[in-house]
């Protein structure tokens, strides 16, 4: 029989399942971020224990590997001082609008909630500035002004 008509296995035609990619660089977190990682590991472990569907178990195990790795490699960032850094809550002015954001780790980031990854272009532009200073952003000189910066409350 021709190989073209032989069916080895249904899994042969499925998309490959890759591990979830780990963000590059140090795994800096806030205290809130570390607690959220621990809660996610606990949630996934409980869901996996109750799951009976084999395919869903594979997906849960993959997610669990990711979150266990992130939790075990997490580093609590030092508390920032007077300049914008990881763990800062920053009020800034850009294009005439005032906004407040928090600079957090990649896994804790949620732009809709005002939590921006410290590696995001906006966070990078703000990092190192102090209240009253301006910085370049989006190829514009002095486009962004820091109004206030303080540590995120734990």
């Amino acid at each position: 029989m021709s190989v073209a008509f032989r069916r080895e296995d249904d899994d042969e035609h499925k998309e490959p399942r890759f591990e979830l990619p780990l963000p590059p660089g140090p795994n800096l977190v806030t205290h809130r971020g570390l607690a959220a990682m621990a809660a996610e590991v606990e949630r996934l472990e409980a869901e996996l224990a109750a799951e009976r569907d084999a395919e869903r178990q594979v997906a849960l195990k993959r997610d669990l590997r990711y979150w266990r790795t992130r939790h075990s490699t997490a580093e609590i960032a030092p508390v920032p001082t007077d300049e914008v850094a990881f763990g800062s809550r920053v009020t800034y002015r850009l294009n005439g609008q005032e906004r407040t954001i928090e600079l957090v780790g990649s896994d804790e980031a949620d732009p809709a909630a005002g939590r921006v990854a410290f590696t995001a272009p906006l966070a990078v532009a703000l990092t190192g500035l102090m209240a009253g200073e301006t910085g370049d952003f989006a190829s514009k000189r002095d486009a962004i002004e820091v109004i206030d910066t303080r540590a995120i409350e734990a």
Side-chain angles (χ1 to χ4, degrees):
M1 177 185 278
S2 170
V3 175
F5 296 105
R6 193 178 78 217
R7 186 171 186 171
E8 294 282 330
D9 185 335
D10 280 340
D11 288 339
E12 192 175 296
H13 302 287
K14 291 182 180 177
E15 287 289 322
R17 288 191 177 99
F18 297 104
E19 291 298 310
L20 295 172
L22 296 172
N27 183 13
L28 297 176
V29 297
T30 62
H31 289 283
R32 177 182 58 206
L34 185 62
M37 285 178 178
E40 184 64 7
V41 167
E42 192 174 305
R43 183 191 72 75
L44 287 167
E45 286 172 343
E47 193 174 336
L48 180 61
E51 186 60 58
R52 298 295 164 238
D53 180 62
E55 274 193 54
R56 181 73 182 127
Q57 285 178 345
V58 169
L60 287 169
K61 286 178 183 178
R62 181 187 72 164
D63 291 351
L64 190 53
R65 282 190 301 274
Y66 174 85
W67 286 108
R68 281 181 176 158
T69 299
R70 295 301 283 170
H71 186 255
S72 69
T73 61
E75 300 172 34
I76 298 285
V79 177
T81 54
D82 293 340
E83 69 180 38
V84 177
F86 183 99
S88 292
R89 174 176 285 123
V90 186
T91 302
Y92 66 94
R93 184 175 294 117
L94 177 64
N95 298 328
Q97 293 186 356
E98 202 172 291
R99 294 193 175 118
T100 300
I101 60 168
E102 295 177 347
L103 276 58
V104 297
S106 302
D107 294 313
E108 191 179 355
D110 180 0
R115 292 190 295 270
V116 177
F118 72 104
T119 56
L122 176 60
V124 171
L126 290 165
T127 298
L129 298 176
M130 299 174 81
E133 293 184 332
T134 60
D136 301 343
F137 183 66
S139 302
K140 296 178 186 168
R141 286 192 60 68
D142 298 327
I144 194 164
E145 176 188 3
V146 174
I147 298 167
D148 184 48
T149 183
R150 62 189 65 207
I152 296 172
E153 295 147 15

